[in-house]
Amino acid sequence: MPGAEAPRDVGERIRRLKKELNAVILAHNYQLPEVQEVADYVGDSLELTLRAAETDAKYLVFAGVDFMAEQAAVLNPDKVVLHPDPGARCPMAAMLPRSLLLEYKRRYPGVPVVLYVNTLAEAKAEADYICTSANAVEVVRRVPSDRVVFGPDANLARYVELKTGKEVIAVPPTGHCYVHLSISPEDVEKLREAYPDAEVLAHPECVPEVWAGADLVGSTSSMVRRAGASSAKRFIVATEVGLLHRLRVENPAKEFVPAYQNAVCVFMKRITLEKVYESLRDLKHPVRVPPEIASRVAEALRRTFELLGASR
Ligand code: 13P
Ligand code: SF4
């Protein structure tokens, strides 16, 4: 195709530009393999948040979806955060507009609000605490209240409720990730029967019937750690299939079976190697969060880290 560059060349150009510009690329575990390969760091939402908070690079390219890039911008008001495709938007994050959260705050006055990181900044600015799948249980456990308002993922809300014994009020009551919802308990059951020796690794965004019997319920990176540490040789993986790349690269002697092979987040996959390159070459698309919103989100994050103390 005229004008198109071979992926290898694009990768090399990206590496060169990163050096020239003093830029880093952070990529989520669901990103395309070739994007993960040019990234300086690949991780789950919590790890990427911590990395974004630590970087001293001038430019930060975020290979992930909108709320992740926004959060990196909030943590780096003096740096330029670039999102290679602003159309990479998480539909679950869009399920909780600020107006709905304000309605719940009026309905449950004084009840602390804990928001999952998969939320847009305009709603996060109204939160008391912000959690990820890696620390949601711990955050809610430490919140000084027996009930919390929690959004936007209702399946994660149920998981947190089960683990903490607290009342977790889900906002919206049916908030969900369409990718994790596509993983059915019946499919997982069939795979369990076919591979009785396999461990089941499940993301808490799956329906309770999927995570209830899993050997590990947790964030994408906690699945990577478990696969590395476990003596099992085979794993059934109930999350977005992009994670299988990292699992296979890091554990070549083990077998990973997707719980559902069409569990694909088309929004994560909008970030291509070419778009990462163009983003560095043309410094597009800078992520801007209005300062009055950014400062309130940063305050909720600071409060959360303080709540978690050294265990963050
Ligand atoms: P993790 O933080 O577990 O990587 O999950 C992010 C996400 O978007 C899951 O769908
Ligand atoms: Fe959003 Fe689900 Fe995609 Fe994660 S996998 S970014 S929660 S749509």
Side-chain angles (χ1 to χ4, degrees):
M1 197 167 44
E5 294 168 71
R8 232 176 79 96
D9 293 340
V10 179
E12 277 156 21
R13 281 163 196 247
I14 289 172
R15 288 187 184 90
R16 217 178 307 136
L17 274 175
K18 277 201 297 187
K19 252 194 212 147
E20 276 169 35
L21 294 167
N22 183 19
V24 296
I25 301 176
L26 301 185
H28 186 263
N29 285 321
Y30 296 158
Q31 287 292 293
L32 292 167
E34 60 272 26
V35 173
Q36 294 192 25
E37 271 147 34
V38 293
D40 297 275
Y41 193 79
V42 181
D44 66 12
S45 304
L46 178 61
E47 293 168 335
L48 294 174
T49 299
L50 296 174
R51 282 285 155 147
E54 283 163 5
T55 184
D56 51 15
K58 187 166 173 212
Y59 295 96
L60 206 159
V61 178
F62 209 106
V65 287
D66 53 355
F67 69 83
M68 297 177 171
E70 268 190 354
Q71 181 135 307
V74 162
L75 289 163
N76 292 286
D78 53 340
K79 295 180 187 123
V80 181
V81 175
L82 303 168
H83 192 201
D85 183 346
R89 297 199 184 107
C90 169
M92 173 157 72
M95 287 176 193
L96 184 54
R98 177 173 178 268
S99 55
L100 180 64
L101 185 59
L102 291 180
E103 199 183 303
Y104 269 65
K105 285 176 77 159
R106 279 194 295 273
R107 204 184 297 174
Y108 299 99
V111 178
V113 174
V114 181
L115 290 187
Y116 188 29
V117 65
N118 298 40
T119 313
L120 294 173
E122 60 155 43
K124 271 186 192 147
E126 302 297 331
D128 295 299
Y129 305 99
I130 294 166
C131 70
T132 71
S133 59
N135 62 17
V137 170
E138 197 52 27
V139 169
V140 172
R141 198 171 270 148
R142 288 178 184 234
V143 169
S145 169
D146 286 341
R147 34 179 358 210
V148 296
V149 168
F150 188 99
D153 188 36
N155 289 320
L156 179 61
R158 293 289 73 81
Y159 182 68
V160 168
E161 187 166 63
L162 181 81
K163 289 292 171 185
T164 61
K166 295 189 178 186
E167 184 187 354
V168 179
I169 303 157
V171 53
T174 56
H176 63 274
C177 161
Y178 82 100
V179 181
H180 288 87
L181 210 64
S182 73
I183 300 171
S184 79
E186 294 74 26
D187 285 348
V188 175
E189 204 36 54
K190 273 187 212 144
L191 289 170
R192 262 186 195 287
E193 281 163 20
Y195 305 111
D197 59 322
E199 279 196 0
V200 177
L201 311 177
H203 199 278
E205 289 177 18
C206 293
V207 294
E209 295 79 0
V210 167
W211 50 247
D215 296 285
L216 175 107
V217 184
S219 76
T220 50
S221 288
S222 74
M223 293 183 201
V224 175
R225 286 191 291 274
R226 172 66 172 240
S230 169
S231 57
K233 292 279 174 280
R234 195 180 272 152
F235 300 82
I236 297 163
V237 185
T239 192
E240 209 270 355
V241 295
L243 185 66
L244 276 84
H245 170 69
R246 199 175 150 196
L247 286 167
R248 288 172 178 148
V249 167
E250 293 187 19
N251 303 280
K254 297 185 179 181
E255 189 188 340
F256 298 94
V257 183
Y260 179 48
Q261 63 182 11
N262 294 331
V264 177
C265 178
V266 295
F267 302 95
M268 283 280 183
K269 287 354 183 215
R270 285 182 70 117
I271 310 291
T272 59
L273 199 60
E274 192 70 36
K275 287 181 192 168
V276 171
Y277 169 58
E278 286 168 10
S279 153
L280 279 166
R281 185 192 63 194
D282 305 335
L283 302 182
K284 66 182 189 186
H285 304 270
V287 180
R288 293 196 180 90
V289 180
E292 64 283 7
I293 289 184
S295 65
R296 295 183 69 192
V297 178
E299 180 55 22
L301 283 168
R302 193 206 53 74
R303 209 179 289 122
T304 307
F305 289 150
E306 191 178 278
L307 183 78
L308 293 172
S311 67
R312 84 185 167 107

